Amino acid sequence: MSPSQFRNRDTIAGHRARAAAAIIFVGSIALVAAHRPAAAAAGPRLGHTVVPTFESIRLVLDPAKPDYTGTVHIDLSVRETTSSFVFHARDIAIDRLKLSGKTGDVTTGHAAEGDQLRITPGRPLEPGPYTLDIDFSADFNNQGAGLYRMQVDGSWYSFTQFEAADARGALPCWDEPEFKNPFQVTLVVPKDHLAIGNTPIESERVEGDQKTVAFERTPPLPTYLLAIATGPLETVAMRGMSVPGRVVTVRGSAGLAQEAARVTPVLVAALEKYFGIPYPYHKLDVLAVPEFWAGAMENAAAITFKDSVLLIDPAAISVDQRRGLVLVTAHELAHMWFGDLVTMQWWDDLWLNESFASWMGDRIADQEFPEFKAELAQVLSMQTAMTADAHLSTRAMRQPVEGVENLDQLADELTYDKGQAVLMMFERWLGPQTFRKGVVDYLKTHRWGNATAADLSRSLSKAAGKDVGGPMATFLDQPGVPLVRAEILPGGRVRLSQQRFLNYGAKTPRPVTWQIPVILKYSNGRTTRTLTLMLADASRTVTLDGSPHVVWLHPNAGESGYYRWQVAPQMLSALADAAPKALGARERVGYLGNLSALLDAGPVKGDDYLRLLGRFANDPEPEVVQAVLGGLAKVKRAFVVAGVKDEFVAYVRSTLSPALDRIGRKRAEGEDSSVSSLRPDLLWWLGEEGRDESVLDDAERMARAGLAEPASIDPTLADIAAQLAARRGDMALFKQYRDRFEKARVPAERERYLVALGSFRKPEVVDAALAYSLEGPLRPQELLSIAHSIAGAPEYRQLAWDWMTTNFKTISGRVPPNYGIDLVQFADGCSTDLLDSARAFFSSPEHDLPGVSTELAKVADHVHDCVALRQREEPAVAEFLHRHEAVAGSPNPPATTTGAGQLYR
């Protein structure tokens, strides 16, 4: 699964400058790189006295109608004598229920208990086999969750999104991941509709205006991986795989599926080779769904995607679209083995599914499509996880989830990004072949069943011949991220020490230690060496081989370790000096992320941060410049207040203009894709924050050209041109954008103009945009996009908050309950004013949302850290910016380059 929000895993562009504009729900393809479960955990866990062994499902689905009917036949195994049992059925009308055993039918009563239905037989059930038959009816969901319907261009469709706990709202079932049994699905649909399931079609029969489609029996599956799609769907064949494959689209969109059909077989073959296990299912459908909260969902053999991920206009393909398609598809395909073939036993090991799919997906994507540099994006996403882990409100990556109010909150940057980084760290420690051997053993041992993190640890330990579970558990079972301090001693020795890394002023409740695989990289000025060690105690002193004199030392070689690091200030500067030639791209990206963390924690001062940050702005690797832009976003948020706005404008222009001048404003023939991806971000910063009139004029020209003839402009620049043009745009332009949004048939174009509608800054247009959010034809997952974008402008944050609170009832009625917690994000910022309002607003019973207290704690940490950073470092930052503006304005200002003068590749 692939998260749907920037505050989760946004590997592709979440660290880009324009992502900092707080476009939360939609934007570029970047928004999709991962999923969030769609329903809160409700009621106690099911017991094991009565368990399903097989379920047959028959549904009569016509999505043009608001409801549907169905029957289920469930084979049961009663393991112990019992007087009652429960299973899941939420908001389902039970029309008939029959329980039968060896001696015939059993008289029963039934009663709803929240999400569960309790069956009470007239006599105790003795151990043995039974069957349960239920006729039922239910309404289609209209919020994009469970079994839901939607209309596109006058045609009706139905789709499913069952993770984490929404299968129970569609049909009676045992809706927990450990109940993994075969299913047989039969769908009765209008005769001109195509029906999709997890398996190939076994038989099909047309009678009158209906068609009955029976699918083959599935292998053992948990309910959250079941998938159904119906409607006048179109398909495009995917060739070159070991099983039949199709891209599935709504009517009229098949022409946009060619790139997905090309990419998917390549990734499937690479995964089969890595695992040494054939693709586990009998077919593969990838479905483009227009109304979809998640980026993608790993339903077994029927993977659903947000349509903008999968469908790409062949006449206007941007670099980000290609990259997003590859990375998200690789992630979901990895799940076919890790998550589907072998499934977590319970949600406390959700990290196991998602971390591995993130790690494996990026690995395979980097192997097959190296131009997208997934390994560098992984360093950026790791910084996001470590930032979250620096708060006292963080959680352990693996923890009991009994009583968790909102399963949605488990699918965060820790589950995806921290877990991926931890797996990468231990792969580096064990060696790739040993790690792979352990992974394959895990899959073969538990195939078609369930497993836990302990099972993976056992397989890795078996392959390595040493304990892996113990060291790994220190990262899984306790919250936070370690800080490794490296102190140079005489004689080529280094004292390493560890403690929990926390932001300034926070105090750890108790001392904690990790077992950290550390790789030191160091130089004596002539040669560079590495040293690998395990730091398991509070401190350890080691002697560096062959280096009595250390010129520089990097405590996290290859940026492969999940830990923060600290060296003396002079060593930090020495590393910046050495960076262009001695540090790899991953290390330079990691250096900047670590520098930002040290600013938060206090060892690095505000003026030093800006000074060091600027030295990387001309780096030859575009991803390093992306990390610089992330640092600038931090500076803007915390320090750019009335007194230094003009000075910040000057700093942005002098810092970033050389990079844009070097790569140019237009794509060059054969240029590296990462250069093409960097260009719109540089333009955004120079136009939005640098107030560069020539950039804004160019954007307006491109936006006008794009409105007149979309194919006339570079598709990689189309989004940013529309957004920048909106900054000075009037109501007339707003209406043009609105018209293009409503008429768009290409998903990328629809998203482009939706985001642009939230990018206007004239008050009367902002008011119109907020009104349109609720009055226009927006899909449920699009509802908050405009408002979140507007809230990204400090001057409109209060307006956006007022809009949300005024319309809370309407919004919460159109958004699935678990996504309601995203409304708390409107209180974010660098001031406690809205935070206080949020606490008061959400304390009211009528505004209660599942998980809101946890979300408020996270937002409060974010706000308080920003406020404290501003109070502590604003004078130093202001002085630096004033001084920098004076120097930049002199007749002969000094160059801002780092000395790395090579051109971008």
Side-chain angles (χ1 to χ4, degrees):
M1 56 186 172
S2 174
S4 63
Q5 260 206 328
F6 280 128
R7 71 179 182 85
N8 291 336
R9 183 177 187 257
D10 184 13
T11 13
I12 303 168
H15 310 279
R16 301 163 130 208
R18 61 181 183 269
I23 301 166
I24 302 294
F25 275 83
V26 295
S28 68
I29 197 72
L31 147 151
V32 297
H35 165 82
R36 311 173 44 179
R45 288 179 64 175
L46 300 179
H48 297 85
T49 301
V50 179
V51 299
T53 59
F54 168 76
E55 181 165 355
S56 174
I57 303 166
R58 185 178 189 273
L59 301 175
V60 181
L61 302 176
D62 182 354
K65 300 176 181 178
D67 54 8
Y68 62 93
T69 61
T71 63
V72 295
H73 170 89
I74 308 173
D75 292 343
L76 300 175
S77 173
V78 177
R79 296 174 173 177
E80 301 174 15
T81 302
T82 183
S83 58
S84 70
F85 64 94
V86 296
F87 55 88
H88 290 114
R90 181 180 67 215
D91 299 329
I92 292 173
I94 305 299
D95 301 319
R96 183 184 72 91
L97 187 149
K98 184 178 75 170
L99 179 66
S100 304
K102 290 180 180 179
T103 59
D105 295 348
V106 179
T107 302
T108 62
H110 62 271
E113 298 178 357
D115 279 11
Q116 299 177 354
L117 192 73
R118 180 168 295 277
I119 304 299
T120 307
R123 55 180 169 79
L125 299 180
E126 298 297 328
Y130 292 78
T131 61
L132 180 64
D133 291 277
I134 303 173
D135 295 345
F136 66 95
S137 57
D139 292 335
F140 280 105
N141 183 281
N142 292 307
Q143 298 174 318
L147 175 52
Y148 63 99
R149 67 176 189 146
M150 63 171 297
Q151 190 178 34
V152 181
D153 295 336
S155 297
W156 284 95
Y157 302 83
S158 69
F159 295 99
T160 53
Q161 171 55 37
F162 284 162
E163 190 173 19
D166 275 331
R168 66 191 65 179
L171 52 94
C173 59
W174 271 249
D175 194 20
E176 293 177 2
E178 68 173 307
F179 296 108
K180 194 172 180 183
N181 52 260
F183 292 85
Q184 184 120 35
V185 177
T186 299
L187 301 178
V188 181
V189 299
K191 66 178 182 180
D192 58 343
H193 281 198
L194 181 65
I196 306 286
N198 298 97
T199 53
I201 293 174
E202 186 173 78
S203 67
E204 189 170 292
R205 184 179 74 256
V206 176
E207 292 180 314
D209 59 356
Q210 287 187 321
K211 176 171 60 178
T212 300
V213 182
F215 296 93
E216 294 178 5
R217 179 181 290 222
T218 74
L221 290 176
T223 49
Y224 82 88
L225 293 177
L226 291 174
I228 292 167
T230 74
L233 299 162
E234 299 178 347
T235 66
V236 173
M238 297 190 295
R239 307 191 187 282
M241 295 193 300
S242 56
V243 297
R246 299 175 296 182
V247 183
V248 182
T249 78
V250 298
R251 177 183 285 161
S253 295
L256 306 176
Q258 295 302 321
E259 187 69 5
R262 181 185 74 84
V263 163
T264 304
V266 175
L267 295 170
V268 170
L271 287 162
E272 288 181 318
K273 183 176 180 180
Y274 179 88
F275 291 124
I277 300 172
Y279 171 77
Y281 302 100
H282 292 164
K283 59 94 175 176
L284 174 61
D285 288 323
V286 294
L287 293 82
V289 184
E291 190 170 296
F292 199 57
W293 285 91
M297 178 62 210
E298 69 271 18
N299 309 304
I303 306 172
T304 44
F305 291 78
K306 193 171 187 288
D307 62 352
S308 58
V309 179
L310 217 55
L311 303 182
I312 300 175
D313 183 357
I317 304 178
S318 75
V319 169
D320 280 353
Q321 287 176 304
R322 278 200 173 101
R323 178 187 288 159
L325 172 65
V326 167
L327 294 186
V328 179
T329 303
H331 177 102
E332 301 308 326
L333 289 173
H335 271 308
M336 297 299 103
W337 288 264
F338 219 100
D340 293 12
L341 178 64
V342 180
T343 304
M344 63 191 172
Q345 187 149 351
W346 182 240
W347 298 110
D348 49 9
D349 274 323
L350 177 64
W351 78 271
L352 189 60
N353 276 14
E354 298 306 331
S355 300
F356 191 90
S358 296
W359 171 80
M360 189 74 245
D362 284 357
R363 180 189 184 93
I364 291 299
D366 206 48
Q367 171 187 303
E368 299 300 320
F369 298 90
E371 65 270 25
F372 298 134
K373 299 181 181 176
E375 51 129 6
L376 291 181
Q378 186 271 333
V379 183
L380 290 169
S381 64
M382 181 167 64
Q383 303 305 314
T384 303
M386 286 196 279
T387 297
D389 249 351
H391 296 135
L392 287 173
S393 64
T394 192
R395 60 174 179 85
M397 193 162 61
R398 182 176 65 188
Q399 62 181 19
V401 300
E402 296 287 0
V404 166
E405 193 179 8
N406 190 336
L407 284 172
D408 173 74
Q409 291 170 307
L410 295 177
D412 58 9
E413 56 278 295
L414 303 181
T415 294
Y416 289 83
D417 303 326
K418 178 177 182 177
Q420 177 185 13
V422 169
L423 289 173
M424 180 175 290
M425 175 170 63
F426 280 91
E427 182 202 25
R428 181 79 176 262
W429 181 52
L430 297 177
Q433 292 308 313
T434 299
F435 191 82
R436 177 182 177 276
K437 183 179 178 182
V439 167
V440 172
D441 179 78
Y442 166 85
L443 291 174
K444 289 183 175 179
T445 301
H446 302 284
R447 63 189 303 157
W448 302 122
N450 297 88
T452 67
D455 294 316
L456 177 62
S457 295
R458 274 190 289 272
S459 290
L460 291 173
S461 297
K462 175 183 172 184
K466 60 183 177 182
D467 177 34
V468 177
M472 191 176 285
T474 65
F475 286 87
L476 302 181
D477 297 339
Q478 61 187 10
V481 58
L483 170 67
V484 174
R485 284 195 176 94
E487 179 186 358
I488 306 296
L489 303 175
R493 293 178 302 139
V494 177
R495 179 188 295 121
L496 300 174
S497 60
Q498 64 160 300
Q499 67 182 68
R500 182 173 176 179
F501 178 87
L502 290 168
N503 289 341
Y504 187 85
K507 302 295 182 184
T508 183
R510 58 182 177 82
V512 291
T513 56
W514 287 259
Q515 295 183 48
I516 312 170
V518 172
I519 306 178
L520 303 177
K521 183 176 181 179
Y522 57 96
S523 174
N524 59 9
R526 298 184 303 278
T527 59
T528 299
R529 303 189 182 202
T530 60
L531 173 65
T532 302
L533 58 97
M534 176 65 76
L535 180 59
D537 299 319
S539 67
R540 177 180 176 182
T541 300
V542 297
T543 300
L544 302 178
D545 219 10
S547 291
H549 176 64
V550 178
V551 174
W552 57 260
L553 178 142
H554 190 294
N556 192 359
E559 207 62 31
S560 59
Y562 187 79
Y563 53 88
R564 293 299 188 192
W565 51 268
Q566 184 178 345
V567 293
Q570 61 270 28
M571 184 61 71
L572 199 61
S573 293
L575 279 171
D577 293 338
K581 294 183 179 179
L583 299 186
R586 284 181 62 92
E587 291 163 336
R588 301 199 301 279
V589 171
Y591 176 99
L592 291 170
N594 198 72
L595 185 71
S596 176
L598 293 178
L599 174 65
D600 289 334
V604 168
K605 302 304 178 186
D607 52 346
D608 290 330
Y609 177 72
L610 281 168
R611 187 177 300 110
L612 289 169
L613 186 70
R615 294 179 64 181
F616 288 80
N618 235 0
D619 193 275
E621 186 64 62
E623 279 74 10
V624 178
V625 183
Q626 298 281 19
V628 171
L629 300 183
L632 289 175
K634 180 192 195 79
V635 173
K636 176 192 172 186
R637 170 185 165 88
F639 302 121
V640 179
V641 292
V644 294
K645 284 185 178 180
D646 291 340
E647 290 80 358
F648 185 65
V649 167
Y651 178 77
V652 167
R653 293 175 71 167
S654 64
T655 301
L656 300 182
S657 291
L660 182 62
D661 290 343
R662 178 159 35 202
I663 67 173
R665 299 192 184 189
K666 295 182 179 179
R667 190 192 309 199
E669 186 69 29
E671 76 178 12
D672 191 282
S673 63
S674 58
V675 176
S676 300
S677 190
L678 173 63
R679 183 176 290 108
D681 294 329
L682 288 173
L683 289 171
W684 187 93
W685 269 97
L686 287 165
E688 173 73 3
E689 303 300 337
R691 301 178 194 168
D692 188 314
E693 293 295 325
S694 67
V695 169
L696 292 171
D697 290 344
D698 283 349
E700 290 176 358
R701 280 193 292 272
M702 279 192 289
R704 285 194 297 271
L707 285 167
E709 179 50 60
S712 67
I713 64 172
D714 181 350
T716 304
L717 299 179
D719 292 351
I720 217 65
Q723 292 171 41
L724 285 176
R727 289 304 198 255
R728 301 191 299 195
D730 57 12
M731 190 65 75
L733 184 62
F734 175 83
K735 291 177 179 178
Q736 285 183 283
Y737 282 4
R738 185 183 62 193
D739 185 60
R740 290 302 292 271
F741 165 74
E742 294 179 3
K743 293 180 178 178
R745 294 295 174 266
V746 176
E749 184 179 14
R750 181 179 175 91
E751 287 195 351
R752 174 179 309 138
Y753 287 106
L754 176 62
V755 174
L757 287 171
S759 300
F760 289 83
R761 291 298 177 257
K762 291 187 176 180
E764 66 276 13
V765 186
V766 170
D767 289 339
L770 287 173
Y772 186 70
S773 294
L774 298 179
E775 297 166 0
L778 277 67
R779 295 166 182 159
Q781 80 274 13
E782 298 170 333
L783 187 64
L784 299 179
S785 175
I786 291 172
H788 273 300
S789 183
I790 289 169
E795 66 270 27
Y796 287 124
R797 190 166 286 127
Q798 181 69 52
L799 180 67
W801 170 262
D802 293 341
W803 171 86
M804 185 277 291
T805 54
T806 300
N807 296 287
F808 177 84
K809 185 176 181 179
T810 300
I811 296 168
S812 59
R814 292 169 62 180
V815 173
N818 267 29
Y819 288 87
I821 58 168
D822 296 315
L823 300 177
V824 178
Q825 298 297 319
F826 283 100
D828 200 359
C830 206
S831 165
T832 59
D833 293 346
L834 289 183
L835 184 61
D836 294 338
S837 297
R839 288 190 174 115
F841 182 82
F842 289 109
S843 66
S844 168
E846 61 183 326
H847 303 143
D848 189 30
L849 298 167
V852 71
S853 59
T854 300
E855 202 65 22
L856 273 170
K858 293 179 181 178
V859 171
D861 272 345
H862 199 209
V863 170
H864 288 311
D865 282 349
C866 186
V867 170
L869 180 60
R870 177 179 290 178
Q871 291 173 345
R872 193 174 73 247
E873 298 297 335
E874 184 181 8
V877 169
E879 182 181 354
F880 176 88
L881 290 175
H882 284 300
R883 202 165 54 243
H884 181 274
E885 184 187 35
V887 172
S890 67
N892 298 295
T896 59
T897 63
T898 63
Q902 69 188 84
L903 294 177
Y904 285 99
R905 295 187 301 280

